[in-house]
Amino acid sequence: MTSPTTIEPDLRYPIGRLARKTVLSDAERSAAIDAVAAVPAALRGAVRGLSEKQLDTPYRPGGWTVRQLVHHVADSHMNAFIRFRLALTEENPTIKPYNEADWARLPDMEMSIEPSLQLIDALHLRWVHMLRAMPAASFARGLVHPDNGPMTMDALLNVYSWHGRHHTAHVTALREREGWR
């Protein structure tokens, strides 16, 4: 008799891998903006009440700590905000990538997460206001990512609507696995 096979979840992608899209419908775009708007409260909720030891726990073996994830979201979303602004004010700009792994090892990644949570709160207020005020045609504007090639602003929005949910789920999945209430 054979036993049923248990499929282990991929701890790297708790909500699944990013489904890349170049063009979003009006409904998809609205949902993506709503997802970006929800990140600050969702991330705060995910880390609420965690001890320093828990914040310094990797979300998976070999992965970043919860503390590094929070600081990474702030870093990444600051870059995203600037990328949107460049694409709105320049014709097909080439954006600057950065080495996320190297940034995650910088000394400020060891500090309290509160400044990054505050930064995410304020940044998302501005970013979401800008996104909601943009005419639909602006989301077709282009930019060039040196590693990923040409992108539309719709494609960039799609990435970041996934990104915040992705990292928040890293924390909530860890809490669930560890029984942290």
Side-chain angles (χ1 to χ4, degrees), residues 50-67:
L50 292 180
S51 69
E52 292 298 308
K53 182 177 179 184
Q54 290 167 328
L55 289 170
D56 291 327
T57 302
Y59 75 92
R60 67 174 174 87
W64 289 340
T65 66
V66 173
R67 184 183 311 276

Side-chain angles (χ1 to χ4, degrees), residues 108-170:
D108 61 320
M109 291 294 197
E110 299 168 3
M111 66 185 288
S112 166
I113 61 171
E114 188 55 32
S116 283
L117 291 171
Q118 291 173 6
L119 193 153
I120 292 165
D121 288 340
L123 176 67
H124 281 243
L125 282 174
R126 285 191 58 195
W127 190 11
V128 169
H129 180 85
M130 181 180 71
L131 292 170
R132 289 188 172 144
M134 287 170 48
S138 292
F139 288 92
R141 291 181 63 90
L143 62 143
V144 178
H145 189 292
D147 298 329
N148 300 329
M151 299 178 75
T152 63
M153 291 181 69
D154 263 343
L156 196 60
L157 176 59
N158 182 60
V159 168
Y160 286 97
S161 70
W162 172 85
H163 187 261
R165 293 179 297 114
H166 166 71
H167 285 307
T168 299
H170 281 142

Side-chain angles (χ1 to χ4, degrees), residues 68-144:
Q68 286 172 306
L69 283 175
V70 172
H71 292 310
H72 164 72
V73 170
D75 289 345
S76 176
H77 290 200
M78 281 189 291
N79 274 283
F81 179 66
I82 296 300
R83 290 169 178 177
F84 272 91
R85 294 177 71 79
L86 288 169
L88 283 171
T89 60
E90 298 178 17
E91 289 303 316
N92 216 29
T94 298
I95 59 170
K96 174 104 173 72
Y98 64 100
N99 186 317
E100 296 173 349
D102 285 349
W103 281 38
R105 288 189 289 272
L106 292 172
D108 61 320
M109 291 294 197
E110 299 168 3
M111 66 185 288
S112 166
I113 61 171
E114 188 55 32
S116 283
L117 291 171
Q118 291 173 6
L119 193 153
I120 292 165
D121 288 340
L123 176 67
H124 281 243
L125 282 174
R126 285 191 58 195
W127 190 11
V128 169
H129 180 85
M130 181 180 71
L131 292 170
R132 289 188 172 144
M134 287 170 48
S138 292
F139 288 92
R141 291 181 63 90
L143 62 143
V144 178

Side-chain angles (χ1 to χ4, degrees), residues 6-20:
T6 304
I7 298 174
E8 289 294 320
D10 186 342
L11 300 180
R12 296 172 301 168
Y13 300 102
I15 64 169
R17 289 183 180 265
L18 170 66
R20 294 200 181 268

Side-chain angles (χ1 to χ4, degrees), residues 36-48 117 120-121 124 168:
V36 170
V39 168
L43 188 58
R44 272 190 183 277
V47 298
R48 186 170 287 115
L117 291 171
I120 292 165
D121 288 340
H124 281 243
T168 299

